[in-house]
């Protein structure tokens, strides 16, 4: 079960993230946020997807 992603899978994943980001951004602008605010929100959205949280929540018992 040690399957490494292929180049095509990587390209598809990056494309999907770009598409989701564009939808997120354009929806924010459509809801009344300025372009700068929408870009900051999109940056935060992408960061939360890409980066591991700084503090791991405790295990649920």
């Amino acid at each position: 079960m040690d399957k490494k992603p292929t180049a095509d899978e990587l390209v598809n994943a990056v494309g999907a993230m770009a598409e989701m980001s564009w939808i997120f951004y354009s929806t924010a602008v459509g809801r009344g946020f300025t372009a700068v605010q929408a870009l900051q929100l999109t940056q935060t959205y992408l960061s939360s997807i890409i980066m591991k949280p700084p503090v791991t929540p405790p295990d649920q018992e």
Side-chain angles (χ1 to χ4, degrees):
M1 188 93 182
D2 189 22
K3 182 181 175 283
K4 293 185 180 177
T6 65
D8 284 339
E9 290 172 328
L10 179 63
V11 168
N12 287 338
V14 170
M17 284 183 63
E19 209 169 319
M20 290 186 311
S21 298
W22 174 249
I23 292 169
F24 187 90
Y25 172 83
S26 58
T27 301
V29 170
R31 294 287 182 165
F33 289 93
T34 66
V36 172
Q37 291 171 327
L39 189 58
Q40 289 171 336
L41 287 169
T42 305
Q43 180 184 7
T44 302
Y45 169 71
L46 282 172
S47 294
S48 70
I49 292 173
I50 295 171
M51 301 181 83
K52 181 180 176 182
V55 176
T56 306
D59 289 343
Q60 303 264 336
E61 293 184 71

Coordinates of all heavy atoms in Angstrom, one line a residue:
M1 N 0.8 -1.2 0.0 CA 0.0 0.0 0.0 C 0.9 1.3 0.0 O 0.5 2.3 0.5 CB -0.9 0.0 1.2 CG -2.0 1.0 1.3 SD -3.4 0.3 0.5 CE -4.5 1.7 0.6
D2 N 2.1 1.1 -0.5 CA 3.0 2.2 -0.6 C 3.0 2.8 -2.0 O 4.1 2.9 -2.6 CB 4.4 1.7 -0.2 CG 5.4 2.9 0.0 OD1 5.0 4.0 0.3 OD2 6.6 2.6 -0.1
K3 N 1.9 3.2 -2.4 CA 1.7 3.7 -3.8 C 2.1 5.2 -3.8 O 1.5 6.0 -3.1 CB 0.3 3.6 -4.2 CG 0.0 4.0 -5.6 CD -1.5 3.8 -6.0 CE -1.8 4.4 -7.3 NZ -1.9 5.8 -7.4
K4 N 3.0 5.6 -4.7 CA 3.4 7.0 -4.8 C 2.6 7.6 -5.9 O 2.3 6.9 -6.9 CB 4.9 7.1 -5.2 CG 5.8 6.6 -4.1 CD 7.3 6.8 -4.4 CE 8.2 6.4 -3.3 NZ 9.6 6.5 -3.6
P5 N 2.2 8.8 -5.8 CA 1.4 9.5 -6.8 C 2.2 9.7 -8.1 O 3.4 9.9 -8.1 CB 1.0 10.8 -6.2 CG 1.9 11.0 -5.1 CD 2.4 9.7 -4.7
T6 N 1.5 9.5 -9.2 CA 2.1 9.7 -10.5 C 2.1 11.2 -10.8 O 1.5 12.0 -10.1 CB 1.4 9.0 -11.6 OG1 0.1 9.6 -11.7 CG2 1.3 7.5 -11.4
A7 N 2.9 11.6 -11.8 CA 2.9 13.0 -12.2 C 1.6 13.5 -12.6 O 1.2 14.7 -12.3 CB 3.9 13.2 -13.4
D8 N 0.8 12.7 -13.3 CA -0.5 13.1 -13.7 C -1.4 13.3 -12.5 O -2.2 14.3 -12.5 CB -1.2 12.0 -14.6 CG -0.6 12.0 -16.1 OD1 -0.1 13.1 -16.5 OD2 -0.8 11.0 -16.8
E9 N -1.3 12.5 -11.5 CA -2.1 12.7 -10.3 C -1.8 14.0 -9.6 O -2.6 14.7 -9.1 CB -2.0 11.5 -9.4 CG -2.6 10.2 -9.9 CD -2.3 9.0 -9.1 OE1 -1.2 8.9 -8.5 OE2 -3.2 8.1 -9.0
L10 N -0.5 14.3 -9.6 CA 0.0 15.5 -9.0 C -0.6 16.7 -9.7 O -1.1 17.7 -9.1 CB 1.5 15.5 -8.9 CG 2.1 16.8 -8.3 CD1 1.7 16.9 -6.8 CD2 3.6 16.8 -8.4
V11 N -0.5 16.7 -11.0 CA -1.0 17.8 -11.8 C -2.5 17.9 -11.6 O -3.0 19.1 -11.5 CB -0.7 17.6 -13.3 CG1 -1.4 18.5 -14.2 CG2 0.8 17.7 -13.6
N12 N -3.2 16.8 -11.6 CA -4.7 16.9 -11.3 C -5.0 17.5 -10.0 O -5.9 18.3 -9.8 CB -5.3 15.5 -11.5 CG -5.4 15.1 -12.9 OD1 -5.3 15.9 -13.8 ND2 -5.5 13.8 -13.1
A13 N -4.2 17.1 -8.9 CA -4.4 17.6 -7.6 C -4.2 19.1 -7.5 O -5.0 19.9 -6.9 CB -3.5 16.9 -6.6
V14 N -3.1 19.6 -8.2 CA -2.8 21.0 -8.2 C -3.9 21.8 -8.9 O -4.3 22.8 -8.5 CB -1.4 21.3 -8.8 CG1 -1.2 22.8 -9.0 CG2 -0.3 20.7 -7.8
G15 N -4.3 21.2 -10.0 CA -5.4 21.8 -10.8 C -6.7 21.9 -10.0 O -7.4 23.0 -10.1
A16 N -7.0 20.9 -9.3 CA -8.2 20.9 -8.5 C -8.1 22.0 -7.4 O -9.1 22.7 -7.1 CB -8.5 19.5 -7.9
M17 N -6.9 22.1 -6.7 CA -6.8 23.1 -5.7 C -6.9 24.5 -6.3 O -7.5 25.4 -5.7 CB -5.4 23.0 -5.0 CG -5.4 21.8 -4.0 SD -3.9 21.7 -3.1 CE -3.8 23.2 -2.3
A18 N -6.3 24.7 -7.5 CA -6.4 26.0 -8.2 C -7.9 26.3 -8.5 O -8.3 27.5 -8.3 CB -5.6 26.0 -9.4
E19 N -8.6 25.4 -8.9 CA -10.0 25.6 -9.3 C -10.8 25.9 -8.0 O -11.7 26.8 -8.0 CB -10.6 24.3 -10.0 CG -11.7 24.6 -10.9 CD -12.0 23.4 -11.8 OE1 -11.1 22.7 -12.3 OE2 -13.3 23.2 -12.0
M20 N -10.6 25.2 -6.9 CA -11.3 25.4 -5.7 C -11.0 26.8 -5.1 O -11.8 27.5 -4.6 CB -10.9 24.4 -4.6 CG -11.5 23.0 -4.9 SD -11.3 21.8 -3.6 CE -9.6 21.9 -3.2
S21 N -9.7 27.2 -5.3 CA -9.3 28.5 -4.8 C -10.0 29.6 -5.6 O -10.4 30.6 -5.1 CB -7.8 28.7 -5.0 OG -7.1 27.7 -4.2
W22 N -10.1 29.4 -6.9 CA -10.8 30.4 -7.8 C -12.2 30.6 -7.4 O -12.8 31.6 -7.3 CB -10.6 30.1 -9.2 CG -11.4 31.1 -10.1 CD1 -12.5 30.8 -10.8 CD2 -11.2 32.5 -10.2 NE1 -13.0 31.9 -11.4 CE2 -12.2 33.0 -11.1 CE3 -10.2 33.3 -9.8 CZ2 -12.3 34.3 -11.4 CZ3 -10.3 34.7 -10.1 CH2 -11.3 35.1 -10.9
I23 N -12.9 29.4 -7.1 CA -14.3 29.4 -6.7 C -14.4 30.1 -5.4 O -15.3 31.0 -5.2 CB -14.8 28.0 -6.7 CG1 -14.9 27.4 -8.1 CG2 -16.2 28.0 -6.0 CD1 -15.2 26.0 -8.2
F24 N -13.5 29.8 -4.4 CA -13.6 30.5 -3.1 C -13.4 32.0 -3.3 O -14.1 32.7 -2.7 CB -12.4 29.9 -2.3 CG -12.5 30.3 -0.8 CD1 -13.2 29.6 0.1 CD2 -11.8 31.4 -0.4 CE1 -13.2 30.0 1.5 CE2 -11.8 31.9 0.9 CZ -12.5 31.1 1.8
Y25 N -12.4 32.4 -4.0 CA -12.1 33.8 -4.2 C -13.3 34.5 -4.9 O -13.7 35.6 -4.4 CB -10.8 34.0 -5.1 CG -10.6 35.4 -5.5 CD1 -9.9 36.3 -4.6 CD2 -11.0 35.9 -6.7 CE1 -9.7 37.6 -5.0 CE2 -10.7 37.2 -7.1 CZ -10.1 38.1 -6.2 OH -9.9 39.4 -6.5
S26 N -13.8 34.0 -6.0 CA -14.8 34.7 -6.7 C -16.1 34.7 -5.9 O -16.9 35.7 -6.0 CB -15.1 34.0 -8.1 OG -15.4 32.7 -8.0
T27 N -16.4 33.7 -5.1 CA -17.5 33.7 -4.2 C -17.4 34.8 -3.1 O -18.4 35.5 -2.8 CB -17.7 32.3 -3.5 OG1 -17.9 31.4 -4.6 CG2 -18.9 32.3 -2.6
A28 N -16.2 34.9 -2.6 CA -15.9 36.0 -1.6 C -16.2 37.4 -2.2 O -16.8 38.2 -1.6 CB -14.5 35.9 -1.0
V29 N -15.7 37.6 -3.4 CA -15.9 38.9 -4.1 C -17.4 39.1 -4.3 O -17.9 40.2 -4.1 CB -15.1 39.0 -5.4 CG1 -15.4 40.2 -6.2 CG2 -13.6 39.0 -5.0
G30 N -18.0 38.0 -4.7 CA -19.5 38.1 -5.0 C -20.3 38.4 -3.8 O -21.4 38.9 -3.8
R31 N -19.8 38.0 -2.6 CA -20.5 38.3 -1.3 C -20.2 39.7 -0.7 O -20.6 40.0 0.4 CB -20.1 37.2 -0.3 CG -20.6 35.8 -0.7 CD -22.1 35.7 -0.5 NE -22.5 34.4 -0.8 CZ -23.7 34.0 -0.5 NH1 -24.5 34.7 0.2 NH2 -24.1 32.8 -0.8
G32 N -19.4 40.5 -1.5 CA -19.1 41.8 -1.0 C -17.8 42.1 -0.4 O -17.5 43.3 0.0
F33 N -16.9 41.1 -0.4 CA -15.5 41.4 0.1 C -14.8 42.1 -1.0 O -15.0 41.9 -2.2 CB -14.8 40.1 0.4 CG -15.3 39.4 1.7 CD1 -16.3 38.4 1.6 CD2 -14.8 39.8 2.9 CE1 -16.7 37.8 2.7 CE2 -15.2 39.2 4.1 CZ -16.2 38.2 4.0
T34 N -13.8 43.0 -0.6 CA -13.0 43.6 -1.6 C -12.0 42.6 -2.2 O -11.9 41.5 -1.6 CB -12.1 44.8 -1.0 OG1 -11.2 44.2 -0.1 CG2 -13.0 45.8 -0.3
A35 N -11.3 42.9 -3.3 CA -10.4 42.0 -3.9 C -9.3 41.7 -2.9 O -8.9 40.5 -2.8 CB -9.8 42.6 -5.2
V36 N -8.8 42.6 -2.2 CA -7.7 42.4 -1.2 C -8.2 41.5 -0.1 O -7.5 40.5 0.3 CB -7.2 43.7 -0.7 CG1 -6.2 43.5 0.5 CG2 -6.5 44.6 -1.7
Q37 N -9.4 41.7 0.4 CA -9.9 40.9 1.5 C -10.1 39.5 1.0 O -9.8 38.5 1.7 CB -11.2 41.5 2.0 CG -11.1 42.8 2.8 CD -12.5 43.4 3.1 OE1 -13.4 43.3 2.3 NE2 -12.5 44.1 4.2
A38 N -10.7 39.3 -0.2 CA -10.9 38.0 -0.8 C -9.6 37.3 -1.0 O -9.5 36.1 -0.7 CB -11.7 38.1 -2.1
L39 N -8.6 38.0 -1.4 CA -7.3 37.4 -1.6 C -6.7 36.9 -0.3 O -6.1 35.8 -0.2 CB -6.3 38.3 -2.3 CG -5.0 37.8 -2.7 CD1 -5.2 36.6 -3.7 CD2 -4.2 38.9 -3.4
Q40 N -6.8 37.7 0.8 CA -6.4 37.3 2.1 C -7.1 36.1 2.6 O -6.5 35.2 3.2 CB -6.5 38.5 3.1 CG -5.5 39.6 2.8 CD -5.8 40.9 3.6 OE1 -6.9 41.1 4.1 NE2 -4.7 41.7 3.8
L41 N -8.4 36.1 2.4 CA -9.2 34.9 2.8 C -8.8 33.7 2.1 O -8.7 32.6 2.6 CB -10.7 35.2 2.6 CG -11.4 36.1 3.6 CD1 -12.8 36.5 3.1 CD2 -11.4 35.5 5.0
T42 N -8.6 33.8 0.8 CA -8.1 32.7 -0.1 C -6.8 32.2 0.4 O -6.5 31.0 0.4 CB -8.1 33.1 -1.5 OG1 -9.4 33.6 -1.9 CG2 -7.8 31.9 -2.4
Q43 N -5.9 33.1 0.7 CA -4.6 32.7 1.2 C -4.7 31.9 2.5 O -4.0 30.9 2.7 CB -3.7 34.0 1.5 CG -2.3 33.6 2.0 CD -1.5 34.9 2.3 OE1 -2.1 36.0 2.3 NE2 -0.3 34.7 2.7
T44 N -5.5 32.3 3.4 CA -5.8 31.6 4.7 C -6.4 30.2 4.4 O -6.0 29.2 5.0 CB -6.7 32.4 5.6 OG1 -6.1 33.7 5.8 CG2 -6.9 31.7 6.9
Y45 N -7.3 30.2 3.4 CA -7.9 28.9 3.0 C -6.9 27.9 2.5 O -6.8 26.8 2.9 CB -9.0 29.2 2.0 CG -9.6 28.0 1.3 CD1 -10.4 27.2 1.9 CD2 -9.3 27.8 -0.1 CE1 -10.9 26.1 1.3 CE2 -9.8 26.7 -0.7 CZ -10.6 25.8 0.0 OH -11.2 24.8 -0.7
L46 N -6.0 28.4 1.6 CA -5.0 27.5 1.1 C -4.0 27.1 2.1 O -3.6 25.9 2.1 CB -4.3 28.2 -0.1 CG -5.0 28.3 -1.4 CD1 -4.3 29.1 -2.4 CD2 -5.2 26.9 -2.0
S47 N -3.6 28.0 3.0 CA -2.7 27.7 4.1 C -3.2 26.6 4.9 O -2.5 25.7 5.4 CB -2.4 28.9 4.9 OG -1.7 29.8 4.1
S48 N -4.5 26.7 5.2 CA -5.1 25.7 6.1 C -5.2 24.3 5.4 O -5.2 23.3 6.1 CB -6.5 26.1 6.6 OG -7.4 26.1 5.5
I49 N -5.2 24.3 4.1 CA -5.3 23.0 3.4 C -3.8 22.4 3.3 O -3.6 21.2 3.5 CB -5.8 23.2 2.0 CG1 -7.3 23.5 2.1 CG2 -5.6 21.9 1.1 CD1 -7.9 23.8 0.7
I50 N -2.9 23.3 3.0 CA -1.5 22.8 2.8 C -0.7 22.5 4.0 O 0.0 21.5 4.1 CB -0.8 23.8 1.9 CG1 -1.4 24.0 0.5 CG2 0.7 23.5 1.7 CD1 -0.9 25.1 -0.3
M51 N -0.8 23.3 5.0 CA 0.1 23.2 6.2 C -0.6 22.5 7.3 O -1.8 22.5 7.5 CB 0.5 24.6 6.6 CG 1.2 25.4 5.6 SD 1.7 27.0 6.1 CE 3.2 26.6 7.0
K52 N 0.2 21.8 8.1 CA -0.2 21.1 9.2 C -0.5 22.1 10.4 O 0.2 23.1 10.5 CB 0.9 20.1 9.7 CG 0.6 19.3 10.9 CD 1.7 18.4 11.2 CE 1.4 17.6 12.5 NZ 2.5 16.8 12.9
P53 N -1.5 21.9 11.1 CA -1.8 22.8 12.2 C -0.6 22.9 13.2 O 0.1 21.9 13.4 CB -3.0 22.3 12.9 CG -3.5 21.2 12.1 CD -2.5 20.8 11.1
P54 N -0.3 24.1 13.8 CA 0.8 24.2 14.7 C 0.6 23.4 16.0 O 1.6 22.9 16.5 CB 0.9 25.7 15.0 CG -0.4 26.3 14.6 CD -1.0 25.4 13.6
V55 N -0.6 23.2 16.4 CA -0.8 22.4 17.6 C -1.8 21.3 17.2 O -2.9 21.5 16.7 CB -1.5 23.3 18.7 CG1 -1.8 22.4 19.9 CG2 -0.5 24.4 19.0
T56 N -1.4 20.1 17.5 CA -2.3 18.9 17.2 C -3.3 18.8 18.3 O -2.9 18.8 19.5 CB -1.5 17.6 17.1 OG1 -0.4 17.8 16.1 CG2 -2.3 16.5 16.7
P57 N -4.6 18.7 18.0 CA -5.6 18.6 19.0 C -5.4 17.3 19.8 O -4.9 16.3 19.2 CB -6.9 18.6 18.3 CG -6.6 18.4 16.9 CD -5.1 18.7 16.7
P58 N -5.7 17.3 21.1 CA -5.6 16.0 21.8 C -6.5 14.9 21.3 O -7.6 15.2 20.7 CB -6.0 16.4 23.3 CG -6.8 17.7 23.1 CD -6.3 18.3 21.8
D59 N -6.1 13.7 21.5 CA -6.9 12.6 21.0 C -8.3 12.6 21.8 O -8.3 12.8 22.9 CB -6.2 11.2 21.3 CG -5.0 11.1 20.3 OD1 -4.9 11.8 19.3 OD2 -4.1 10.2 20.6
Q60 N -9.3 12.2 21.0 CA -10.6 12.0 21.6 C -10.7 10.7 22.3 O -10.2 9.7 21.9 CB -11.7 12.1 20.5 CG -11.6 13.3 19.6 CD -12.6 14.3 20.1 OE1 -13.6 14.0 20.7 NE2 -12.4 15.6 19.8
E61 N -11.2 10.7 23.5 CA -11.2 9.5 24.3 C -12.5 8.8 24.1 O -13.5 9.3 23.8 CB -11.1 9.8 25.8 CG -9.7 10.4 26.1 CD -9.5 10.6 27.5 OE1 -9.3 9.6 28.3 OE2 -9.4 11.7 27.9

